[in-house]
Amino acid sequence: MRRFNLAVLAAVTLSAGLIAVPAQAHSGRPLGIENCTTAGCHFDVLPGTYDVKVLLGGDAASSTRISGETRRSLLPETAAEAGERVSRSFTVNVRTPEGEPTGPDGTPGLDLVLGGSAPALADIKVTRARHTRQILLVGDSTVCDQPGDPYSGWGQQLPQYLRKGVSVANYADSGESTVTYLSEPRLWATVQPLIHRGDLVLIQLAHNDKTTDEATYRANLETLVAGVREKGGNPVLVTPIVRRWFNSDGTLNNGTALLVNGLGVDHPAVIRSVAAAEDVPLIDLTAKTKALVESLGVEGSKAIYLYNEKRDNTHTSVHGATVYAGLVRDELLAQGLVPEGAVRVG
């Protein structure tokens, strides 16, 4: 049975049937635990970026994690000894649609879900963020905020690795190629105006460019890079995660695994070439995921993908997406793209 902090239970008992109060009515004052139940919290705020400060712990030993909006992991599981209070903070992006850009609008406001083996929330404060660096994600289904279990994109798991002051705005969308991402009004035409000076924009598009010729693919990547720079943002090209497609010798050295399309276009190679030519930082996720999957082997790598659940060797499980988000986190830190103090390690 899950244990919850008594402060939350008291709030539920005293205010059954809570009525959400618009954030504007608080005149800039933080929204707090009165907006929470034993399962989570709802804050009636407008789209924007918000800082969340939580105090975790209770009379008994506890272990709490926090997710929100469309299944985004916002705070990793955090333990507290009996009677201890642990303070943590993170920054969250609230938008409409709250998940995939071409998906349903979702629930207005900010929704947080309490999880973990023994969740205990002692207090919470939500305020409009004033000084935030934004990481925008441009990608496909392997990156996006997947709406339903057991699927998860690595961008959905990335926020848990970042501290207060850095938000993730995940505009990846299932089924998109470089061609469709540029042509669909709800995608690039919506994302580009949101880019502010200094924002990072991580671009991973390849899985659905199955019929895109090399010249077009290269030109589309160059267009995205130029569009980010036009707004003062910092583009980062990301090679695609591998497909779990083994050769008989236990390697992934084949076109299916390494994203070479039917026209012979080697997507990772083109991305590396564009990054070098345009002097753009590169996260070689193809190389990193290839090494990891090969090290795990045929059986061990099944848990990274959805082989057991769906016979799916392309899309990742929550576990796999979390591992891959950790690889992205490591590269952001190693290349100095985010400051050390902005990243959760371990």
Side-chain angles (χ1 to χ4, degrees), residues 4-328:
F4 293 87
N5 184 270
L6 293 176
V8 178
L9 294 176
V12 176
T13 302
L14 294 173
S15 54
L18 285 173
I19 299 173
V21 180
Q24 301 93 314
H26 288 257
S27 302
R29 290 186 287 113
L31 299 171
I33 202 165
E34 68 275 5
N35 294 278
C36 300
T37 70
T38 56
C41 309
H42 172 76
F43 300 94
D44 187 21
V45 297
L46 298 172
T49 305
Y50 294 86
D51 290 332
V52 180
K53 182 177 182 179
V54 295
L55 194 63
L56 305 175
D59 295 336
S62 63
S63 185
T64 310
R65 67 173 180 270
I66 299 177
S67 60
E69 299 296 270
T70 303
R71 301 177 62 240
R72 296 181 224 159
S73 292
L74 300 172
L75 188 72
E77 190 144 354
T78 303
E81 298 294 333
E84 181 187 16
R85 299 292 184 271
V86 176
S87 178
R88 293 288 186 270
S89 297
F90 55 88
T91 300
V92 60
N93 170 258
V94 177
R95 61 182 182 271
T96 304
E98 69 177 32
E100 295 180 272
T102 64
D105 284 353
T107 305
L110 170 60
D111 289 288
L112 303 177
V113 178
L114 302 178
S117 58
L121 177 67
D123 199 11
I124 186 168
K125 300 296 180 187
V126 175
T127 56
R128 190 75 181 241
R130 294 186 178 182
H131 305 289
T132 301
R133 188 175 189 187
Q134 189 173 218
I135 300 177
L136 294 104
L137 304 182
V138 169
D140 53 34
S141 59
T142 65
V143 185
C144 76
D145 287 351
Q146 288 280 0
D149 188 64
Y151 292 88
S152 181
W154 62 255
Q156 201 164 20
Q157 301 301 323
L158 185 60
Q160 68 184 299
Y161 290 120
L162 302 170
R163 298 183 188 274
K164 176 185 173 183
V166 183
S167 71
V168 175
N170 191 351
Y171 284 88
D173 197 72
S174 293
E176 307 301 342
S177 65
T178 58
V179 176
T180 60
Y181 204 95
L182 285 167
S183 62
E184 164 59 59
R186 290 171 292 180
L187 297 174
W188 184 238
T190 296
V191 174
Q192 191 191 20
L194 301 176
I195 301 170
H196 301 124
R197 184 165 300 279
D199 286 345
L200 288 180
V201 183
L202 276 55
I203 302 166
Q204 186 216 281
L205 288 166
H207 277 85
N208 301 299
D209 279 280
K210 297 173 184 176
T211 60
T212 309
D213 64 80
E214 183 169 337
T216 301
Y217 186 65
R218 179 181 294 271
N220 288 343
L221 292 174
E222 292 169 345
T223 296
L224 290 165
V225 166
V228 173
R229 286 175 165 165
E230 179 186 324
K231 303 296 289 187
N234 299 314
V236 179
L237 289 175
V238 183
T239 59
I241 67 170
V242 294
R243 294 190 179 98
R244 184 188 163 278
W245 201 269
F246 283 93
N247 297 326
S248 58
D249 63 359
T251 67
L252 300 179
N253 296 318
N254 59 77
T256 300
L258 300 182
L259 282 296
V260 178
N261 76 8
L263 300 178
V265 179
D266 185 331
H267 293 104
V270 176
I271 295 168
R272 295 178 189 120
S273 174
V274 172
E278 298 292 328
D279 193 24
V280 174
L282 174 74
I283 295 178
D284 198 341
L285 207 49
T286 304
K288 291 188 172 298
T289 56
K290 177 179 184 293
L292 176 62
V293 170
E294 287 181 343
S295 72
L296 292 171
V298 174
E299 289 302 316
S301 62
K302 287 178 179 178
I304 295 288
Y305 292 84
L306 291 171
Y307 178 84
N308 293 323
E309 300 87 348
K310 301 286 186 179
R311 294 298 186 267
D312 187 332
N313 293 306
T314 297
H315 297 95
T316 48
S317 63
V318 170
H319 165 66
T322 302
V323 171
Y324 285 178
L327 297 177
V328 174

